[in-house]
Amino acid sequence: MNRHLRVSVDLSSIRKNFRILKERLGKLSLQLQKTLIIGVVKADAYGHGAIEVSKVLVKEGIDFLAVAYLEEAIALREEGINIPIIVLFEEPDPQKYLRYDLRAVIHEEKTISFLEKTIKTSSPPFRVHVKIDTGMGRLGFVPDDAILILQRLANIKGLRVEGIMSHFSEAELSNKDSAKRQIAIFNDICIKAKRIFGDNLICHMANSAAIFSIPEACLSGVRPGLMFYGYLPGSLEEKSLSPAMKVSTRLLTIRKVKKGTPISYGGTFVTNRESLVGIIKAGYADGLMRSLSNKGYVLFQGKRAPIIGRICMDLTMIDLTEILKEPAITYPSIEEEVVIIGSQDNETITAKDLSRWANTIPYEILTTFGGLGKRIYENHGYDKKRD
Ligand SMILES: *Cc1c(COP(=O)(O)O)cnc(C)c1O
């Protein structure tokens, strides 16, 4: 696809964010047992590139990776990534999982019946993690059934329960009541499960939000995703994290229009003064969501330029009247850089800003821009002096 949008990923930010996590978990040290880090790289590492991101994380010493589907895990194996990988959301096919040395997540009874019939006792064991629904209301066994289910799994020869897991529904809220209820339910099951499987059982629940706001959620394992890419969800902020993705495009042209000129489809914006309207080479086909029409900003010459009128498929209009004050218009050279996510001079727009303006979440912004195909990587290597 020959579009003008440029999506770049700074791998040194991923590295820095990983180190911040390590330091944080080190400081918590609420338990003698080390907290394993299970890095979530589903959806092509939230649009940053699962292979490139995973290679950085593996080099940094991450313990496990997790993906949504089997094909994502196989793609990592084919790139030579050989640390344990958990496949979060796929019905396990033991043959394939064993061939690629993958961990399955068991979350429903029919899978257990299937495994009881099909698992061979040959080595190596088929390793699984068991999901408990402590309040997310998505996948998993209900807490009341958990122990019986675990005992049943303990009886399958050739199968090894390596971990049990649960997922928060709203760990990013300032009111932690619901998250704490989930932790209490899960902890109770963990204690009982360790009596069956031993103290090495990995109990993991915390996502990025929980790791950075509920220390007691960091059990023997944590499952962060978003924080690696430089963000925390909701109202949580962590200034030390560095956003890894930058998105930019180019200016197509600038027009001087009279006061009272309707701009773009439907004339939803009408100039209230003589205006300089910039037209940029990006539209909703490039991930610049149409819901940002008349709401969002982009950066031009280091300043925030408001998006005016409706965003089109390939083009978006921005108001440059303030930035390029008359009469000293030195029309910028066409093709000047316009930043959608990232910094220009001293001004910054983050995926989180964009998500607020578009009434969505940073996850959707990152996966949308990152999923467009062309990505450029910066800072692959290690700088010997600085790293
Ligand atoms: C996506 C996901 C995570 C990671 O969540 P973040 O909010 O990105 O840290 C953890 N666990 C499961 C089951 C997930 O689906």
Side-chain angles (χ1 to χ4, degrees):
M1 197 165 60
N2 189 21
R3 302 193 73 89
H4 294 277
L5 197 81
R6 184 180 186 278
V7 177
S8 66
V9 175
D10 185 340
L11 293 173
S12 69
S13 299
I14 308 270
R15 203 143 56 217
K16 266 186 241 154
N17 297 335
F18 177 83
R19 291 176 186 184
I20 286 165
L21 172 68
K22 278 292 272 194
E23 202 183 306
R24 192 174 179 89
L25 293 175
K27 275 191 197 139
L28 287 179
S29 59
L30 291 172
Q31 53 203 350
L32 298 171
Q33 203 176 351
K34 178 188 167 207
T35 299
L36 290 175
I37 303 176
I38 303 164
V40 181
V41 292
K42 65 191 181 196
D44 209 13
Y46 295 38
H48 295 66
I51 288 162
E52 291 80 0
V53 168
S54 298
K55 283 182 175 170
V56 170
L57 295 176
V58 169
K59 203 159 181 179
E60 287 293 311
I62 199 162
D63 304 287
F64 275 62
L65 293 171
V67 293
Y69 303 117
L70 179 62
E71 292 302 320
E72 299 173 74
I74 293 176
L76 294 178
R77 285 285 181 255
E78 284 174 348
E79 283 291 324
I81 288 164
N82 57 14
I83 66 168
I85 300 176
I86 301 175
V87 179
L88 294 168
F89 306 129
E90 194 112 64
E91 277 300 302
D93 163 356
Q95 296 283 309
K96 253 196 179 156
Y97 275 59
L98 279 172
R99 177 162 6 120
Y100 290 100
D101 185 26
L102 306 173
R103 275 75 169 152
V105 171
I106 310 288
H107 55 80
E108 54 189 349
E109 210 261 329
K110 71 175 206 278
T111 315
I112 303 179
S113 306
F114 171 73
L115 292 175
E116 281 169 337
K117 284 189 226 110
T118 52
I119 283 275
K120 310 241 182 354
T121 54
S122 61
S123 60
F126 182 53
R127 292 193 173 85
V128 302
H129 291 238
V130 183
K131 189 156 200 177
I132 317 293
D133 182 1
T134 56
M136 168 71 183
R138 193 170 67 181
L139 296 173
F141 297 101
V142 297
D144 283 349
D145 294 348
I147 296 306
L148 277 177
I149 289 291
L150 291 172
Q151 275 159 350
R152 217 173 128 190
L153 286 166
N155 287 329
I156 305 180
K157 294 213 167 53
L159 180 143
R160 203 177 113 205
V161 175
E162 184 177 56
I164 65 172
M165 60 187 287
S166 192
H167 194 44
F168 285 109
S169 74
E170 48 175 46
E172 72 280 14
L173 297 188
S174 54
N175 182 339
K176 303 288 181 203
D177 291 351
S178 139
K180 291 196 172 170
R181 264 197 305 279
Q182 285 192 257
I183 297 173
I185 296 168
F186 190 59
N187 259 331
D188 182 50
I189 296 169
C190 289
I191 291 165
K192 292 176 183 152
K194 283 186 176 176
R195 287 191 205 126
I196 307 174
F197 299 106
D199 282 341
N200 287 336
L201 184 76
I202 309 165
C203 297
H204 49 104
M205 180 172 198
N207 54 11
S208 300
I211 293 168
F212 283 83
S213 66
I214 318 173
E216 65 268 34
C218 301
L219 307 172
S220 43
V222 292
R223 264 191 342 267
L226 189 65
M227 60 121 327
F228 289 127
Y229 314 107
Y231 294 97
L232 290 182
S235 57
L236 296 175
E237 291 274 356
E238 176 61 42
K239 290 269 181 282
S240 59
L241 295 176
S242 323
M245 186 186 288
K246 178 174 177 179
V247 180
S248 62
T249 187
R250 302 274 159 193
L251 194 68
L252 172 67
T253 190
I254 296 174
R255 290 178 68 209
K256 187 196 268 184
V257 301
K258 289 204 174 82
K259 178 178 172 179
T261 305
I263 302 294
S264 192
Y265 290 117
T268 57
F269 181 92
V270 180
T271 56
N272 62 4
R273 58 186 169 184
E274 187 181 71
S275 298
L276 290 169
V277 177
I279 296 152
I280 69 170
K281 294 178 181 178
Y284 57 78
D286 303 288
L288 198 57
M289 286 147 179
R290 195 166 170 276
S291 55
L292 291 165
S293 299
N294 290 310
K295 280 195 190 147
Y297 297 82
V298 297
L299 297 181
F300 183 78
Q301 294 189 352
K303 297 198 178 74
R304 284 190 177 196
I307 292 172
I308 53 174
R310 287 201 184 131
I311 291 174
C312 309
M313 190 179 288
D314 304 272
L315 298 172
T316 297
M317 271 49 82
I318 58 175
D319 188 357
L320 297 177
T321 318
E322 298 288 324
I323 298 173
L324 302 170
K325 279 200 178 73
E326 281 201 276
I329 308 174
T330 48
Y331 270 27
S333 64
I334 287 184
E335 298 281 298
E336 205 162 327
E337 184 193 50
V338 174
V339 172
I340 297 170
I341 298 174
S343 299
Q344 211 183 34
D345 302 338
N346 293 320
E347 188 59 83
T348 301
I349 289 176
T350 64
K352 200 139 174 190
D353 293 329
L354 226 56
S355 73
R356 247 180 256 117
W357 299 328
N359 193 23
T360 179
I361 50 176
Y363 302 81
E364 190 182 14
I365 301 283
L366 297 173
T367 50
T368 301
F369 283 117
L372 292 167
K374 204 168 59 179
R375 257 187 322 244
I376 296 150
Y377 288 93
E378 278 155 16
N379 300 319
H380 281 271
Y382 282 73
D383 180 334
K384 286 201 185 66
K385 269 178 255 132
R386 291 173 48 222
D387 283 328

